[in-house]
């Protein structure tokens, strides 16, 4: 939604006097991101052709950290600064393992570059600032609710994700800042959980920024980590009390080509039994690099069978960014 239509309630905005860093200076480094993706892009149907969120300037030359799904297959990117300047950008990199993305501004931003945490980030109970583009009215005073494993339905897992509360209404690519003004994380999702009294609590899942420094050189040089890609099945799955069940498949992906069906229950990968999403993805990735054959034990209509999938490199299905 346009920034003029909403703002964080004043009692939930951060108080500059509570921080040792210049809050407004840090918030100026959060820029708005608008990405346009061609209609025939592989991700267009699921993520849309127009995507909007935020990003954080991390180098003086205009390098911006964001969440990768904003810029996947983007042909056009516009960055908007705190003072209303619109500057074109280029989708430089997307790491499927962490979920982080990089944008290179194609004009002068003249914004401060923020240091990126390299030591692991905030801990449960810490107070932080979670901010999307738009200054203090789009900044939220939040608490680290948890640090724990997160497994996503789209063949994604973090060993030590950050969860914050209350939830930010514009979380995609928003920056999480700690007590010293460092970038501690990049916003990815909003989630609902129940507290001890059965009440619904909205949380944000944030990717730790400490995952970026070890791969930054590769992302700048190659657009991805310089190692073999993980095997990708094109399988979307969820958990229930009985284990892992297939919810859908990527179009023309390995799972669909192998005859996997919605509602199939995944019992094992090879000889490794699986009972949750994290276990499923770990077992798949343990089979080797992209291209390896993956054997799944499937329960369908009460009958167990084995299906062999030829895995793929997820990136091969995507449109590469146009070079500038």
């Amino acid at each position: 939604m346009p920034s003029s239509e909403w703002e964080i309630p004043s009692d939930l905005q951060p108080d500059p006097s509570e921080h040792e860093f210049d809050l407004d200076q840090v918030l100026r480094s959060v820029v708005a991101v608008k990405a346009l993706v061609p209609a025939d892009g592989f991700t267009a149907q699921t993520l849309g052709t127009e995507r909007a969120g935020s990003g954080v300037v991390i180098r003086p030359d205009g390098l911006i950290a964001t969440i990768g799904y904003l810029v996947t297959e983007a042909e056009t990117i516009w960055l908007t600064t705190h003072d209303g300047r619109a500057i074109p950008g280029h989708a430089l990199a997307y790491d499927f393992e962490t979920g982080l993305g990089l944008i290179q501004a194609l004009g002068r931003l003249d914004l401060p570059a923020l240091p990126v945490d390299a030591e692991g980030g905030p801990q449960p109970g810490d107070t932080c600032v979670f901010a999307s583009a738009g200054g203090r009215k789009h900044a939220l005073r939040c608490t680290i609710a948890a640090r724990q494993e997160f497994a996503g339905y789209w063949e994604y897992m973090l060993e030590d994700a950050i969860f914050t509360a209350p939830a930010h209404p514009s979380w995609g690519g928003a920056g999480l800042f700690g007590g010293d003004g460092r970038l501690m994380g990049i916003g990815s999702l909003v989630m609902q959980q129940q507290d001890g009294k059965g009440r619904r609590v909205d949380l944000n899942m944030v990717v730790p920024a400490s995952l970026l420094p070890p791969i930054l050189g590769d992302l700048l040089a190659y657009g991805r980590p310089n190692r073999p890609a993980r095997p990708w099945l094109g399988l979307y799955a969820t958990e229930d009390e009985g284990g892992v069940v297939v919810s859908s498949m990527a179009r023309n992906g390995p799972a669909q080509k192998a005859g996997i069906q919605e509602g199939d229950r995944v019992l094992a990968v090879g000889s490794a039994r699986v009972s949750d999403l994290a276990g499923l993805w770990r077992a798949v990735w343990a089979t080797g690099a992209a291209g390896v054959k993956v054997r799944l034990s499937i329960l369908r209509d009460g009958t167990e069978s084995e299906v062999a999938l030829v895995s793929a490199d997820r990136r091969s299905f995507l449109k590469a960014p146009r070079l500038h």
Side-chain angles (χ1 to χ4, degrees), residues 271-323:
S271 60
R273 305 294 288 186
V274 297
S275 60
D276 56 22
L277 284 180
L280 172 59
W281 305 144
R282 282 194 181 99
V284 170
W285 298 334
T287 60
V292 71
K293 184 174 291 186
V294 178
R295 294 183 294 111
L296 299 183
S297 294
I298 297 294
L299 183 66
R300 180 186 301 165
D301 298 328
T303 301
E304 184 173 344
S305 62
E306 186 174 279
V307 179
L309 293 76
V310 179
S311 64
D313 179 352
R314 184 188 330 223
R315 195 174 300 269
S316 68
F317 285 74
L318 306 179
K319 286 180 175 291
R322 292 185 299 181
L323 298 179

Short mmCIF file of all heavy atoms in Angstrom, two decimals, residues 271-323:
data_model
loop_
_atom_site.label_atom_id
_atom_site.label_comp_id
_atom_site.label_asym_id
_atom_site.label_seq_id
_atom_site.Cartn_x
_atom_site.Cartn_y
_atom_site.Cartn_z
N SER A 271 16.42 -44.25 2.35
CA SER A 271 16.16 -45.05 3.55
C SER A 271 15.89 -44.19 4.77
O SER A 271 15.63 -44.72 5.87
CB SER A 271 17.36 -45.96 3.83
OG SER A 271 18.54 -45.18 4.05
N ALA A 272 15.92 -42.86 4.61
CA ALA A 272 15.73 -41.96 5.74
C ALA A 272 14.25 -41.61 5.91
O ALA A 272 13.67 -40.95 5.05
CB ALA A 272 16.55 -40.69 5.55
N ARG A 273 13.64 -42.04 6.98
CA ARG A 273 12.25 -41.70 7.26
C ARG A 273 12.15 -40.23 7.65
O ARG A 273 13.04 -39.68 8.31
CB ARG A 273 11.69 -42.56 8.40
CG ARG A 273 11.83 -44.05 8.20
CD ARG A 273 10.99 -44.58 7.06
NE ARG A 273 9.56 -44.60 7.36
CZ ARG A 273 8.64 -45.13 6.56
NH1 ARG A 273 9.01 -45.66 5.39
NH2 ARG A 273 7.37 -45.12 6.89
N VAL A 274 11.07 -39.58 7.21
CA VAL A 274 10.89 -38.15 7.51
C VAL A 274 9.52 -37.94 8.15
O VAL A 274 8.54 -38.62 7.79
CB VAL A 274 11.03 -37.28 6.25
CG1 VAL A 274 12.44 -37.40 5.68
CG2 VAL A 274 10.01 -37.64 5.20
N SER A 275 9.46 -37.01 9.09
CA SER A 275 8.21 -36.73 9.79
C SER A 275 7.86 -35.25 9.81
O SER A 275 6.78 -34.87 10.27
CB SER A 275 8.29 -37.25 11.24
OG SER A 275 9.36 -36.62 11.93
N ASP A 276 8.77 -34.39 9.33
CA ASP A 276 8.49 -32.96 9.30
C ASP A 276 9.24 -32.33 8.12
O ASP A 276 10.06 -32.98 7.46
CB ASP A 276 8.86 -32.28 10.62
CG ASP A 276 10.31 -32.49 11.02
OD1 ASP A 276 11.15 -32.80 10.14
OD2 ASP A 276 10.62 -32.36 12.22
N LEU A 277 8.94 -31.05 7.86
CA LEU A 277 9.54 -30.38 6.71
C LEU A 277 11.05 -30.28 6.83
O LEU A 277 11.77 -30.51 5.86
CB LEU A 277 8.94 -28.98 6.56
CG LEU A 277 7.53 -28.88 5.97
CD1 LEU A 277 7.10 -27.42 5.91
CD2 LEU A 277 7.46 -29.52 4.60
N ALA A 278 11.53 -29.92 8.01
CA ALA A 278 12.97 -29.78 8.18
C ALA A 278 13.67 -31.10 7.87
O ALA A 278 14.70 -31.14 7.19
CB ALA A 278 13.30 -29.32 9.61
N GLY A 279 13.12 -32.20 8.36
CA GLY A 279 13.71 -33.50 8.09
C GLY A 279 13.66 -33.86 6.61
O GLY A 279 14.60 -34.47 6.08
N LEU A 280 12.57 -33.50 5.94
CA LEU A 280 12.44 -33.77 4.51
C LEU A 280 13.51 -33.04 3.72
O LEU A 280 14.22 -33.63 2.90
CB LEU A 280 11.05 -33.37 4.02
CG LEU A 280 10.82 -33.42 2.51
CD1 LEU A 280 11.07 -34.81 1.94
CD2 LEU A 280 9.41 -32.93 2.16
N TRP A 281 13.63 -31.72 3.96
CA TRP A 281 14.60 -30.95 3.17
C TRP A 281 16.03 -31.39 3.48
O TRP A 281 16.85 -31.49 2.55
CB TRP A 281 14.42 -29.46 3.42
CG TRP A 281 13.05 -28.92 3.19
CD1 TRP A 281 12.42 -27.94 3.91
CD2 TRP A 281 12.12 -29.28 2.16
NE1 TRP A 281 11.17 -27.69 3.41
CE2 TRP A 281 10.95 -28.50 2.33
CE3 TRP A 281 12.13 -30.19 1.12
CZ2 TRP A 281 9.84 -28.62 1.51
CZ3 TRP A 281 11.01 -30.31 0.30
CH2 TRP A 281 9.90 -29.53 0.49
N ARG A 282 16.33 -31.66 4.73
CA ARG A 282 17.69 -32.12 5.07
C ARG A 282 18.01 -33.42 4.34
O ARG A 282 19.11 -33.60 3.82
CB ARG A 282 17.82 -32.32 6.58
CG ARG A 282 18.00 -31.06 7.39
CD ARG A 282 18.45 -31.40 8.81
NE ARG A 282 18.59 -30.20 9.62
CZ ARG A 282 17.69 -29.76 10.49
NH1 ARG A 282 16.57 -30.46 10.65
NH2 ARG A 282 17.89 -28.67 11.19
N ALA A 283 17.05 -34.32 4.31
CA ALA A 283 17.28 -35.61 3.67
C ALA A 283 17.46 -35.46 2.16
O ALA A 283 18.31 -36.13 1.56
CB ALA A 283 16.12 -36.56 3.97
N VAL A 284 16.68 -34.58 1.54
CA VAL A 284 16.82 -34.34 0.10
C VAL A 284 18.19 -33.75 -0.19
O VAL A 284 18.91 -34.20 -1.10
CB VAL A 284 15.70 -33.43 -0.41
CG1 VAL A 284 15.98 -32.97 -1.85
CG2 VAL A 284 14.35 -34.13 -0.35
N TRP A 285 18.59 -32.73 0.57
CA TRP A 285 19.87 -32.06 0.30
C TRP A 285 21.06 -32.98 0.58
O TRP A 285 22.13 -32.79 0.00
CB TRP A 285 19.96 -30.78 1.14
CG TRP A 285 18.89 -29.79 0.80
CD1 TRP A 285 18.22 -29.67 -0.39
CD2 TRP A 285 18.32 -28.80 1.66
NE1 TRP A 285 17.29 -28.65 -0.32
CE2 TRP A 285 17.33 -28.10 0.92
CE3 TRP A 285 18.57 -28.40 2.98
CZ2 TRP A 285 16.59 -27.05 1.46
CZ3 TRP A 285 17.83 -27.36 3.52
CH2 TRP A 285 16.85 -26.69 2.77
N ALA A 286 20.86 -33.96 1.43
CA ALA A 286 21.95 -34.89 1.75
C ALA A 286 22.21 -35.90 0.63
O ALA A 286 23.22 -36.62 0.67
CB ALA A 286 21.63 -35.64 3.04
N THR A 287 21.32 -35.94 -0.36
CA THR A 287 21.50 -36.93 -1.44
C THR A 287 22.59 -36.53 -2.43
O THR A 287 23.05 -37.37 -3.21
CB THR A 287 20.18 -37.14 -2.21
OG1 THR A 287 19.76 -35.89 -2.78
CG2 THR A 287 19.09 -37.69 -1.28
N GLY A 288 22.99 -35.27 -2.44
CA GLY A 288 24.02 -34.83 -3.38
C GLY A 288 23.69 -33.46 -3.94
O GLY A 288 22.91 -32.70 -3.36
N ALA A 289 24.28 -33.13 -5.07
CA ALA A 289 24.06 -31.84 -5.72
C ALA A 289 22.90 -31.93 -6.71
O ALA A 289 22.38 -33.01 -7.02
CB ALA A 289 25.33 -31.40 -6.44
N ALA A 290 22.48 -30.78 -7.20
CA ALA A 290 21.40 -30.72 -8.18
C ALA A 290 21.69 -31.63 -9.36
O ALA A 290 22.81 -31.68 -9.86
CB ALA A 290 21.22 -29.28 -8.67
N GLY A 291 20.68 -32.39 -9.78
CA GLY A 291 20.82 -33.36 -10.84
C GLY A 291 20.83 -34.79 -10.34
O GLY A 291 20.62 -35.73 -11.13
N VAL A 292 21.03 -34.95 -9.02
CA VAL A 292 21.04 -36.29 -8.45
C VAL A 292 19.63 -36.88 -8.46
O VAL A 292 18.64 -36.16 -8.39
CB VAL A 292 21.61 -36.25 -7.00
CG1 VAL A 292 20.62 -35.56 -6.06
CG2 VAL A 292 21.94 -37.64 -6.50
N LYS A 293 19.55 -38.21 -8.57
CA LYS A 293 18.25 -38.87 -8.50
C LYS A 293 17.85 -39.03 -7.04
O LYS A 293 18.63 -39.49 -6.22
CB LYS A 293 18.29 -40.24 -9.18
CG LYS A 293 16.95 -40.95 -9.24
CD LYS A 293 17.00 -42.23 -10.05
CE LYS A 293 17.20 -41.95 -11.52
NZ LYS A 293 17.11 -43.20 -12.33
N VAL A 294 16.62 -38.61 -6.71
CA VAL A 294 16.11 -38.67 -5.34
C VAL A 294 14.95 -39.65 -5.29
O VAL A 294 14.00 -39.52 -6.07
CB VAL A 294 15.65 -37.26 -4.87
CG1 VAL A 294 15.08 -37.33 -3.47
CG2 VAL A 294 16.81 -36.27 -4.93
N ARG A 295 15.04 -40.63 -4.40
CA ARG A 295 13.97 -41.63 -4.25
C ARG A 295 13.08 -41.24 -3.07
O ARG A 295 13.54 -41.09 -1.95
CB ARG A 295 14.57 -43.01 -4.03
CG ARG A 295 15.34 -43.56 -5.22
CD ARG A 295 15.86 -44.96 -4.97
NE ARG A 295 16.87 -44.98 -3.91
CZ ARG A 295 16.70 -45.53 -2.73
NH1 ARG A 295 15.54 -46.11 -2.41
NH2 ARG A 295 17.67 -45.52 -1.83
N LEU A 296 11.79 -41.07 -3.34
CA LEU A 296 10.81 -40.75 -2.30
C LEU A 296 9.87 -41.92 -2.09
O LEU A 296 9.38 -42.51 -3.06
CB LEU A 296 9.98 -39.53 -2.69
CG LEU A 296 10.70 -38.20 -2.92
CD1 LEU A 296 9.68 -37.10 -3.23
CD2 LEU A 296 11.56 -37.81 -1.73
N SER A 297 9.64 -42.24 -0.83
CA SER A 297 8.59 -43.21 -0.48
C SER A 297 7.31 -42.43 -0.25
O SER A 297 7.26 -41.52 0.59
CB SER A 297 8.96 -44.00 0.76
OG SER A 297 10.08 -44.82 0.50
N ILE A 298 6.27 -42.77 -1.02
CA ILE A 298 5.02 -42.02 -1.04
C ILE A 298 3.86 -42.91 -0.58
O ILE A 298 3.77 -44.07 -0.98
CB ILE A 298 4.74 -41.49 -2.47
CG1 ILE A 298 5.83 -40.51 -2.91
CG2 ILE A 298 3.37 -40.85 -2.56
CD1 ILE A 298 5.88 -39.24 -2.11
N LEU A 299 2.99 -42.32 0.22
CA LEU A 299 1.74 -43.00 0.59
C LEU A 299 0.60 -42.31 -0.13
O LEU A 299 0.36 -41.12 0.07
CB LEU A 299 1.53 -42.95 2.11
CG LEU A 299 0.30 -43.70 2.63
CD1 LEU A 299 0.46 -45.20 2.42
CD2 LEU A 299 0.09 -43.39 4.11
N ARG A 300 -0.11 -43.08 -0.99
CA ARG A 300 -1.23 -42.52 -1.75
C ARG A 300 -2.39 -43.50 -1.68
O ARG A 300 -2.25 -44.66 -2.06
CB ARG A 300 -0.82 -42.27 -3.20
CG ARG A 300 -1.94 -41.69 -4.07
CD ARG A 300 -1.51 -41.62 -5.52
NE ARG A 300 -0.32 -40.80 -5.70
CZ ARG A 300 0.42 -40.81 -6.81
NH1 ARG A 300 0.09 -41.61 -7.82
NH2 ARG A 300 1.49 -40.04 -6.91
N ASP A 301 -3.53 -43.01 -1.18
CA ASP A 301 -4.74 -43.85 -1.08
C ASP A 301 -4.45 -45.14 -0.32
O ASP A 301 -4.93 -46.23 -0.69
CB ASP A 301 -5.29 -44.18 -2.47
CG ASP A 301 -5.71 -42.93 -3.24
OD1 ASP A 301 -6.15 -41.97 -2.58
OD2 ASP A 301 -5.58 -42.92 -4.47
N GLY A 302 -3.64 -45.02 0.73
CA GLY A 302 -3.35 -46.17 1.59
C GLY A 302 -2.30 -47.11 1.07
O GLY A 302 -1.97 -48.11 1.73
N THR A 303 -1.72 -46.82 -0.09
CA THR A 303 -0.71 -47.69 -0.69
C THR A 303 0.62 -46.97 -0.74
O THR A 303 0.72 -45.84 -1.22
CB THR A 303 -1.12 -48.11 -2.11
OG1 THR A 303 -2.37 -48.78 -2.07
CG2 THR A 303 -0.06 -49.02 -2.72
N GLU A 304 1.66 -47.65 -0.25
CA GLU A 304 3.00 -47.08 -0.27
C GLU A 304 3.73 -47.49 -1.54
O GLU A 304 3.67 -48.65 -1.96
CB GLU A 304 3.79 -47.53 0.96
CG GLU A 304 5.17 -46.89 1.08
CD GLU A 304 5.86 -47.24 2.39
OE1 GLU A 304 5.18 -47.70 3.33
OE2 GLU A 304 7.09 -47.03 2.46
N SER A 305 4.42 -46.53 -2.15
CA SER A 305 5.19 -46.81 -3.36
C SER A 305 6.42 -45.92 -3.36
O SER A 305 6.53 -44.97 -2.58
CB SER A 305 4.36 -46.56 -4.62
OG SER A 305 3.96 -45.20 -4.70
N GLU A 306 7.35 -46.22 -4.26
CA GLU A 306 8.57 -45.42 -4.38
C GLU A 306 8.58 -44.70 -5.72
O GLU A 306 8.26 -45.28 -6.75
CB GLU A 306 9.81 -46.31 -4.26
CG GLU A 306 11.11 -45.51 -4.25
CD GLU A 306 12.33 -46.38 -3.99
OE1 GLU A 306 12.59 -46.70 -2.81
OE2 GLU A 306 13.00 -46.75 -4.98
N VAL A 307 8.92 -43.42 -5.67
CA VAL A 307 9.00 -42.59 -6.88
C VAL A 307 10.42 -42.04 -6.98
O VAL A 307 10.95 -41.51 -6.00
CB VAL A 307 7.98 -41.44 -6.83
CG1 VAL A 307 8.10 -40.59 -8.09
CG2 VAL A 307 6.57 -41.97 -6.68
N ALA A 308 11.02 -42.14 -8.15
CA ALA A 308 12.36 -41.59 -8.39
C ALA A 308 12.24 -40.28 -9.14
O ALA A 308 11.60 -40.22 -10.20
CB ALA A 308 13.20 -42.59 -9.17
N LEU A 309 12.84 -39.22 -8.59
CA LEU A 309 12.82 -37.90 -9.22
C LEU A 309 14.23 -37.53 -9.62
O LEU A 309 15.18 -37.74 -8.85
CB LEU A 309 12.30 -36.84 -8.25
CG LEU A 309 10.84 -36.86 -7.80
CD1 LEU A 309 10.60 -37.94 -6.77
CD2 LEU A 309 10.47 -35.50 -7.22
N VAL A 310 14.39 -36.97 -10.79
CA VAL A 310 15.67 -36.40 -11.20
C VAL A 310 15.66 -34.94 -10.78
O VAL A 310 14.95 -34.12 -11.37
CB VAL A 310 15.90 -36.54 -12.71
CG1 VAL A 310 17.24 -35.91 -13.09
CG2 VAL A 310 15.87 -38.00 -13.12
N SER A 311 16.39 -34.62 -9.74
CA SER A 311 16.37 -33.27 -9.19
C SER A 311 16.97 -32.27 -10.18
O SER A 311 17.61 -32.65 -11.17
CB SER A 311 17.14 -33.22 -7.87
OG SER A 311 18.51 -33.51 -8.08
N ALA A 312 16.79 -30.98 -9.88
CA ALA A 312 17.25 -29.93 -10.78
C ALA A 312 17.86 -28.80 -9.98
O ALA A 312 17.75 -28.74 -8.74
CB ALA A 312 16.08 -29.40 -11.62
N ASP A 313 18.53 -27.90 -10.69
CA ASP A 313 18.99 -26.64 -10.11
C ASP A 313 17.84 -25.65 -10.27
O ASP A 313 17.44 -25.33 -11.39
CB ASP A 313 20.23 -26.15 -10.85
CG ASP A 313 20.77 -24.83 -10.32
OD1 ASP A 313 20.11 -24.19 -9.48
OD2 ASP A 313 21.87 -24.43 -10.77
N ARG A 314 17.30 -25.19 -9.16
CA ARG A 314 16.14 -24.29 -9.21
C ARG A 314 16.41 -23.08 -10.10
O ARG A 314 15.50 -22.60 -10.80
CB ARG A 314 15.82 -23.84 -7.78
CG ARG A 314 14.58 -22.98 -7.68
CD ARG A 314 14.37 -22.38 -6.29
NE ARG A 314 14.86 -23.16 -5.20
CZ ARG A 314 14.20 -23.36 -4.05
NH1 ARG A 314 12.99 -22.86 -3.91
NH2 ARG A 314 14.74 -24.04 -3.07
N ARG A 315 17.64 -22.62 -10.10
CA ARG A 315 17.96 -21.41 -10.86
C ARG A 315 17.77 -21.60 -12.36
O ARG A 315 17.51 -20.65 -13.09
CB ARG A 315 19.40 -21.00 -10.56
CG ARG A 315 19.79 -19.60 -10.98
CD ARG A 315 21.19 -19.26 -10.50
NE ARG A 315 21.27 -19.34 -9.06
CZ ARG A 315 21.06 -18.31 -8.24
NH1 ARG A 315 20.76 -17.13 -8.76
NH2 ARG A 315 21.17 -18.45 -6.94
N SER A 316 17.88 -22.84 -12.83
CA SER A 316 17.75 -23.08 -14.27
C SER A 316 16.34 -22.82 -14.78
O SER A 316 16.13 -22.71 -15.99
CB SER A 316 18.15 -24.53 -14.59
OG SER A 316 17.23 -25.45 -14.04
N PHE A 317 15.36 -22.71 -13.88
CA PHE A 317 13.99 -22.43 -14.28
C PHE A 317 13.69 -20.94 -14.34
O PHE A 317 12.62 -20.54 -14.80
CB PHE A 317 13.01 -23.09 -13.29
CG PHE A 317 12.88 -24.58 -13.45
CD1 PHE A 317 13.90 -25.43 -13.04
CD2 PHE A 317 11.75 -25.14 -14.03
CE1 PHE A 317 13.79 -26.81 -13.19
CE2 PHE A 317 11.63 -26.51 -14.19
CZ PHE A 317 12.66 -27.35 -13.77
N LEU A 318 14.62 -20.12 -13.88
CA LEU A 318 14.36 -18.69 -13.74
C LEU A 318 14.96 -17.89 -14.87
O LEU A 318 15.98 -18.27 -15.46
CB LEU A 318 14.94 -18.18 -12.41
CG LEU A 318 14.50 -18.91 -11.15
CD1 LEU A 318 15.18 -18.31 -9.93
CD2 LEU A 318 12.99 -18.89 -10.99
N LYS A 319 14.34 -16.76 -15.15
CA LYS A 319 14.92 -15.81 -16.09
C LYS A 319 16.11 -15.12 -15.42
O LYS A 319 16.00 -14.63 -14.30
CB LYS A 319 13.89 -14.74 -16.50
CG LYS A 319 12.83 -15.23 -17.45
CD LYS A 319 11.87 -14.11 -17.80
CE LYS A 319 10.86 -14.54 -18.85
NZ LYS A 319 11.49 -14.76 -20.17
N ALA A 320 17.23 -15.08 -16.11
CA ALA A 320 18.39 -14.39 -15.58
C ALA A 320 18.17 -12.89 -15.69
O ALA A 320 17.53 -12.41 -16.63
CB ALA A 320 19.65 -14.79 -16.35
N PRO A 321 18.70 -12.10 -14.72
CA PRO A 321 18.55 -10.64 -14.81
C PRO A 321 19.28 -10.08 -16.02
O PRO A 321 20.34 -10.60 -16.42
CB PRO A 321 19.16 -10.13 -13.50
CG PRO A 321 20.08 -11.23 -13.06
CD PRO A 321 19.44 -12.50 -13.52
N ARG A 322 18.71 -9.05 -16.62
CA ARG A 322 19.37 -8.40 -17.76
C ARG A 322 20.55 -7.59 -17.25
O ARG A 322 20.48 -6.93 -16.21
CB ARG A 322 18.39 -7.47 -18.48
CG ARG A 322 17.27 -8.21 -19.18
CD ARG A 322 16.40 -7.27 -19.98
NE ARG A 322 15.77 -6.28 -19.12
CZ ARG A 322 14.94 -5.34 -19.58
NH1 ARG A 322 14.67 -5.26 -20.86
NH2 ARG A 322 14.38 -4.48 -18.76
N LEU A 323 21.66 -7.64 -17.97
CA LEU A 323 22.84 -6.90 -17.56
C LEU A 323 22.72 -5.45 -18.00
O LEU A 323 22.17 -5.13 -19.05
CB LEU A 323 24.08 -7.54 -18.20
CG LEU A 323 24.37 -8.98 -17.80
CD1 LEU A 323 25.61 -9.49 -18.52
CD2 LEU A 323 24.56 -9.10 -16.28
#
